[in-house]
Each structure stands twice: as structure tokens, then as C-alpha cells.
């Protein structure tokens, strides 16, 4: 277990890129040759050992689960995004530096693999997760976060649909403006009494940093299973640190509440909840005459002289005749319809005369006593708190419930040719730091040089050279530019905390947001099955949604349809209703790139049931 293996990397795997057109002023550095000592159970993936995508898909698998629309019978892959090996092109890296990249943007993306050595995150260990993300294009809405799974096999990855029980931890950046922009951290915990599992999400998570100069970013998570301390680093600098047990830092809390309202308690009959009552001492004043009607006839009017009360107001229509089909025996005597008597229009009027009604100046209306504050008001009744019969506490939330046996990247792919590289999952922070020092730091430095060279080319000078990144959390004073961007981050984060997101596959049911006006839509975290899923779902009831969001620590969109914004329709597709999740039961042929990438999925394959 503790045996150390020496890995010699770099030149061995580096693919020659001679012949590529290169910047005259900046030489692309060769792939670094370095020696890293990794513990046997550490997992490190730099994507250099794969000769082709086909090779990649022997280890990394894309889910082949399909979604079938019952009404149309159409099926489509649940994760349609393609994946590929790619070298950075926007800001270059070392020669032949291969990265993992979702090649399809604006689509649900998933790829995962089995870890060769499952990790037990127990007392005395530290979980360390680290990887690089590099943007090559702008990002409005998209993720780059990963999920750690319990022990899985390849078949389970190929059938992965995001639901229970395939999730232990979520970590990584996610940005979907204006709803969210943060580095998620979530731990799955199972309620020991109800057996229900749910994700506990970090509140006040740091901003995603998916923005700006598009140089490579390094995300690091450290969780100490002994002290319960956690740390999120971005580019080697601590972005958020704390203890998992800090009050309110995770939502929902790791513990059950000590006391809960007694749901059996009933409001006592004598409990007076009326804040305002009619004044019981008030009496109707003597002058108040309730007998006067609201309207009275106007006695100043008199009958006009030409008004003829004897003349009928209505007469049978003389132009109307009994129809031929009328059967007197069955239908009775035919009667002509009545019309207004035309003779009445020649005089002031006819028929019985009465004056117009006017408002009664003496009208008082019914008397009601004035309202006063209720002197016996006892406040709103609330059920008394009792000790929670389901109380439990979890003082070691850093210890994961299952061994970590797999990793998946599963998110809404929102930025074309996003790059993922140098993934480390292990128990040793020094290893992650050492890898970062030898891969991330030189890559970042070279990319910043490219930006500076570009600025010099354009303007002949540099105003504010960028500070080179450091792995260790140095106490460096930020320059003004950094302070400003940090300030914008804080604003964005505040905004994200208040409004919020998004999507979900809650307990195997897929929630798809369809934006009526455009085809743009969001998909965010795939969450764990849980009873509290009502709190995780998407709401369009503004205020309520906000409360729910705060309760769960997950951001959700406020979907009010305001002008200028696309109208959202939420379609919750569940197994019984519109869409079935069907598994392709055909055994996987890993040699087939098409199948392994899920690209060739067609309705026939999906409709076939094993
Ligand atoms: C993979 O895991 C599933 C569920 O645990 C099991 O049913 C299946 O037999 C396993 N497949 C292989 C090839 O081990
Ligand atoms: C990483 O680099 C920093 C700065 O040079 C150094 O202080 C630190 O010891 C290095 N860490 C490892 C684990 O190599």
C-alpha cells in the first residue's frame, strides 16, 4: 500500500509537434520531463498515455443511457456531448500536451472512469482532489466540476444516469450567469434513521474563476478526515477554508435538528390569535339611522305631459308571421315576438311612469363598531418544540460513507473546447502540490508570457505585468487589477447567492428546462435522490424559491417570466410520464469509438430492450 512507485513522465509520452507553426518570439517548451513519486493508491491522469480518442475510450466511458419521449417515441442520448483529446490552441501549452475536452458545447456532457485503487476516506486520511481547467472560449453557462463515485465497474459507468447511489462528492467550478458562479463542494450523507441520502452543499462557496484571461486554472480540494478541516484552492492559493462542522457552512446541516415542532400538538381553544377585534364597548350613536335606504325616488321629477300610461310599451311584431313548420297541436298557439311600440317614440314615453332613483342624502348605512387592538392577543400559536425523536449528529462528515472507486465529469458543457488536465485523486497533499509545481506552474507561466508577448506586439509595452502564480499560499499584495477582478467576483457571488440556479436530475427524474424563446437552456448539478427533493426542484415562485434555495444551499433560477427574458417551461419527465430512461442492454464493444462516445446512439438501439 505504501510502496512508492517512480513515474517518469514527459518526454516518454510527449508527442512530437515539430512542423507546427510557432510564435517567433515564444518557443513552445518541450513537455516537461520530471519524476514524481506517487503512492500506489494515488490516481493521476495527465492524458499523455493515450495515442488516440479510441485509446482514451478504453479507460474513460461515456454513458450510453438514452431518454425516450413517450409521446413522440423519439429517443436521444442523455449525454449527447462528444469528448476528445485536444491540445490547447488559444493559449498554447507544452509540446504535445493532451487534455480531455468536451467537444460539443451547449449539451449535457458526461465521461468517467474507474479508479484503479479505491480510496477509503477514513480517520487519519486526507482526501485530495486536484485538476486543471482551461477555457479557450467565452463561457456564459457551463460547468467543469467532477463527481467522485463509490466503487463502480465499467458497465455501471456506461449505464450512468446521474442518480442514486452513484455519488459521494461533488467538487469544481460551475458558472451559469446570472444564476451561479462558484466552486461547488458537496458531500453525500445518509440519514442513519430514515436511510435517505442527500447532498450537503457548501454555502458561500468561492467564485468559479471561469473567466478572464483564459489561462489555465488549477482547482484543489483538501478534506482532512481527522480534523474535519477543508480547503479549496484556486491556482494554488486558498480561496476558501474552514471546518465542515462550522455552523451553517453546509446546507442542509450534517446533523439532524435537536428539537422539532410537535406536529401532534393542537392549538388550545382559548388561544386568542386575533390581533385586531371590533371594539366590544362601542355603541351605535343615536343619530345613526340604519333604516334609511341608500337610493330614493327623485320627487322633484314629474310625469311629462305627453307620457301615455295607457299605451303599451311593447306590442307583437306586426311583420312577423307564423312559420310553415309550426305545428299548433305540438307547439301550442303561435305568438308573435314582442317589439317596442314605435308609437311610444313619438311622445315622451308610454307604459307605467316612475321617477328616476337618486342617492339618499340621509343614508347612514349599517353601523359597525371600530376596530381596536385585541387586549387578549396571545400571539400566533406555534406548536411547542419537542426533542427530535430522529435526532442524530455526525461529527465526522469528512469521512466518506463509501470507498471512492470512480470519477465522472458530468456537467452542462457550455464553453467550446474547454480543457481538463492533470487530474489527481489521492490522499497526499504533497503529491498534488508537487504535481502542480511541475505541470501547472510552468504551463501557467508560459501562457502568461504569451499574453504579455501579445500585449507587447500590440502596444509596444506592458502596463501591468501579471504576477506569476505560486503554489503555496503566499501573502502577496494583489495589484489593483487583481483587486478589481476580485471585487467583481464578490459581486457575482453575492448575486449568485441571491438569485440562482438550475437543473437537476433529482432521484432519477430528469428536469429539463426549456426556454421557449430560444434553444438556450441550463443543466446543472445532478443531485442525489432524496426525500427533500421538493426543496431542490426548480420553482418559479420567486420568494419561496429563494427560501428553498437557502435551505438547500443550492442555487436555483428564479423563473419569473419578465419581459425580455425567455419564458421558461419546466418539464419534469419521470419514468411514468413523458420520458423513460432506457438502458442499452447490448454489451459494450470498447474498441468501437462510436459506441464508446455514445455518438452513434440512434432510436433503434435505444428502443431495443434487452
Ligand atoms: C457491475 O456492477 C453491477 C452492479 O453492481 C453488477 O450487477 C454487474 O455484474 C457488474 N459487472 C461486472 C462486469 O462486473
Ligand atoms: C512547490 O513550489 C513552492 C514554491 O517554489 C515550494 O515552496 C514548495 O515546497 C513546492 N512544493 C512541493 C511539494 O514541491
Amino acid at each position: 500500500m505504501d510502496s512508492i512507485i517512480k513515474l517518469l513522465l514527459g518526454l516518454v509520452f510527449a508527442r512530437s509537434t515539430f512542423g507546427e507553426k510557432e510564435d517567433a518570439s515564444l518557443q513552445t517548451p518541450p513537455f516537461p520531463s520530471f519524476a514524481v513519486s506517487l503512492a500506489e493508491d494515488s490516481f493521476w491522469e495527465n492524458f499523455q498515455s493515450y495515442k488516440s480518442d479510441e485509446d482514451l475510450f478504453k479507460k474513460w466511458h461515456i454513458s450510453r443511457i438514452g431518454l425516450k419521449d413517450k409521446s413522440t417515441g423519439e429517443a436521444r442520448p442523455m449525454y449527447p456531448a462528444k469528448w476528445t483529446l485536444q491540445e490547447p490552441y488559444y493559449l498554447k501549452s507544452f509540446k504535445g500536451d493532451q487534455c480531455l475536452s468536451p467537444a460539443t458545447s451547449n449539451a449535457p456532457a458526461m465521461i468517467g472512469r474507474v479508479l484503479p485503487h479505491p480510496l477509503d476516506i477514513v480517520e487519519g486520511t486526507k482526501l485530495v482532489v486536484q485538476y486543471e481547467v482551461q477555457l479557450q472560449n467565452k463561457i456564459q453557462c457551463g460547468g467543469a466540476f467532477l463527481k467522485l463515485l463509490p466503487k463502480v465497474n465499467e458497465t455501471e459507468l456506461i449505464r450512468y444516469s446521474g442518480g442514486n447511489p452513484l455519488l459521494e462528492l461533488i467538487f469544481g467550478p460551475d458558472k451559469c450567469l446570472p444564476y451561479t458562479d462558484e466552486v461547488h463542494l458537496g458531500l453525500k450523507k445518509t440519514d442513519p434513521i430514515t436511510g435517505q441520502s442527500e447532498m450537503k452543499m457548501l454555502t458561500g462557496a468561492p467564485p468559479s474563476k471561469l473567466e478572464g484571461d483564459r489561462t489555465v486554472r488549477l482547482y484543489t480540494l483538501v478534506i482532512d478526515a481527522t480534523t474535519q478541516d477543508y480547503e479549496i484552492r484556486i491556482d494554488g492559493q486558498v480561496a476558501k477554508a474552514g471546518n465542515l462542522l462550522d455552523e451553517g457552512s453546509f446546507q442542509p446541516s450534517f446533523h439532524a435538528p435537536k428539537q422539532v415542532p410537535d406536529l401532534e400538538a393542537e392549538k388550545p381553544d382559548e388561544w386568542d390569535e386575533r390581533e385586531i377585534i371590533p371594539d366590544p364597548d362601542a355603541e351605535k350613536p343615536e343619530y345613526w339611522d340604519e333604516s334609511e335606504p341608500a337610493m330614493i325616488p327623485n320627487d322633484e321629477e314629474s310625469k311629462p305631459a305627453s307620457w301615455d300610461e295607457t299605451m303599451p310599451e311593447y306590442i307583437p311584431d306586426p311583420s312577423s308571421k307564423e312559420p310553415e313548420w309550426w305545428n299548433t297541436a305540438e307547439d301550442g298557439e303561435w305568438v308573435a315576438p314582442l317589439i317596442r311600440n314605435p308609437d311610444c317614440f313619438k311622445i315622451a314615453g308610454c307604459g307605467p311612469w316612475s321617477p328616476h332613483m337618486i342617492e339618499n342624502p340621509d343614508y347612514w348605512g349599517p353601523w359597525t363598531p371600530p376596530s381596536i387592538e385585541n387586549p387578549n392577543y396571545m400571539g400566533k400559536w406555534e406548536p411547542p418544540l419537542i426533542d427530535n425523536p430522529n435526532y442524530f449528529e455526525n461529527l465526522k462528515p469528512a469521512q466518506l460513507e463509501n470507498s471512492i472507486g470512480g470519477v465522472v465529469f458530468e456537467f452542462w458543457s457550455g464553453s467550446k473546447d474547454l480543457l481538463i488536465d492533470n487530474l489527481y485523486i489521492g490522499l497526499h497533499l504533497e503529491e498534488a502540490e508537487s504535481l502542480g509545481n511541475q505541470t501547472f506552474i510552468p504551463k501557467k507561466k508560459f501562457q502568461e508570457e504569451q499574453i504579455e508577448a501579445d500585449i507587447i506586439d500590440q502596444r509596444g509595452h506592458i502596463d501591468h505585468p501579471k504576477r506569476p502564480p505560486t503554489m503555496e499560499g503566499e501573502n502577496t499584495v494583489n495589484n489593483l487589477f487583481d483587486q478589481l477582478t476580485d471585487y467583481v467576483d464578490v459581486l457575482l457571488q453575492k448575486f449568485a447567492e441571491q438569485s440562482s440556479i438550475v437543473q437537476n436530475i433529482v432521484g432519477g427524474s430528469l428536469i429539463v428546462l426549456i426556454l421557449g424563446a430560444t434553444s438556450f437552456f441550463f443543466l446543472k448539478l445532478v443531485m442525489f435522490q432524496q426525500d427533500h427533493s421538493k426543496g431542490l426542484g426548480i420553482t418559479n415562485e420567486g420568494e419561496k424559491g429563494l427560501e428553498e434555495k437557502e435551505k438547500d444551499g443550492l442555487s436555483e433560477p428564479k423563473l419569473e417570466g419578465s419581459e425580455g427574458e425567455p419564458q421558461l417551461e419546466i418539464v419534469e419527465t419521470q419514468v411514468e410520464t413523458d420520458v423513460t430512461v432506457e438502458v442499452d442492454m447490448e454489451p459494450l464493444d470498447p474498441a468501437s469509438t462510436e459506441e464508446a462516445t455514445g455518438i452513434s446512439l440512434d432510436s433503434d438501439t435505444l428502443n431495443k430492450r434487452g
Side-chain angles (χ1 to χ4, degrees), residues 429-438 441 470-472 474:
L429 182 55
E430 323 79 68
E431 291 179 357
E433 282 179 350
S434 173
L435 289 168
N437 276 359
Q438 295 178 69
I441 295 269
T470 46
M471 278 305 292
E472 309 299 327
E474 287 172 19

Side-chain angles (χ1 to χ4, degrees), residues 302-486:
S302 55
K303 190 169 80 170
S306 67
W307 191 286
D308 187 349
E309 284 197 305
T310 62
M311 198 188 286
E313 205 180 346
Y314 292 92
I315 55 165
D317 185 355
S319 66
S320 179
K321 279 204 297 268
E322 180 177 332
E324 277 172 26
W325 48 263
W326 191 271
N327 184 335
T328 312
E330 277 180 20
D331 304 330
E333 198 64 39
W334 181 81
V335 185
L338 294 178
I339 57 163
R340 292 199 82 152
N341 186 350
D343 290 341
C344 290
F345 297 110
K346 297 172 186 159
I347 52 175
C350 50
W353 178 87
S354 60
H356 288 102
M357 300 296 281
I358 54 166
E359 275 179 32
N360 181 359
D362 298 327
Y363 175 70
W364 283 90
W367 180 83
T368 51
S371 293
I372 55 160
E373 274 181 33
N374 181 1
N376 301 321
Y377 176 60
M378 299 166 83
K380 279 269 164 280
W381 184 80
E382 276 174 15
L385 292 177
I386 52 165
D387 287 343
N388 183 357
N390 294 332
Y391 175 71
F392 65 89
E393 58 176 14
N394 182 352
L395 297 175
K396 305 265 180 195
Q399 300 185 11
L400 299 185
E401 290 172 353
N402 294 293
S403 313
I404 300 299
V407 57
V408 294
F409 288 97
E410 181 198 9
F411 46 71
W412 179 257
S413 161
S415 178
K416 194 167 155 22
D417 298 335
L418 176 103
L419 303 169
I420 291 166
D421 203 4
N422 289 315
L423 170 63
Y424 173 85
I425 302 169
L427 306 176
H428 309 284
L429 182 55
E430 323 79 68
E431 291 179 357
E433 282 179 350
S434 173
L435 289 168
N437 276 359
Q438 295 178 69
T439 57
F440 166 75
I441 295 269
K443 195 193 277 194
K444 179 96 167 178
K445 196 157 168 280
F446 176 54
Q447 294 186 342
E448 290 186 332
E449 281 164 13
Q450 291 169 58
I451 292 177
E452 288 174 9
D454 195 41
I455 294 171
I456 292 170
D457 281 354
Q458 285 172 22
R459 293 187 298 174
H461 67 279
I462 290 184
D463 291 334
H464 300 287
K466 285 223 94 181
R467 179 171 41 90
T470 46
M471 278 305 292
E472 309 299 327
E474 287 172 19
N475 268 339
T476 42
V477 180
N478 289 347
N479 65 31
L480 182 63
F481 178 77
D482 284 352
Q483 284 172 11
L484 278 176
T485 47
D486 286 346

Side-chain angles (χ1 to χ4, degrees), residues 47 102 226:
F47 301 101
T226 313

Side-chain angles (χ1 to χ4, degrees), residues 62-63 67 76-83 102 104-111 409-414 503 505 510-512 521-524 526 597:
I62 294 170
S63 167
L67 299 174
R76 60 194 162 78
M78 188 167 174
Y79 303 99
K82 298 175 194 175
W83 292 77
T104 312
S105 49
N106 296 323
M110 176 272 171
I111 195 166
F409 288 97
E410 181 198 9
F411 46 71
W412 179 257
S413 161
Q503 78 160 262
I505 295 163
L510 177 68
I511 296 175
V512 183
F521 69 100
F522 315 105
L523 183 91
K524 224 186 73 167
V526 172
T597 55

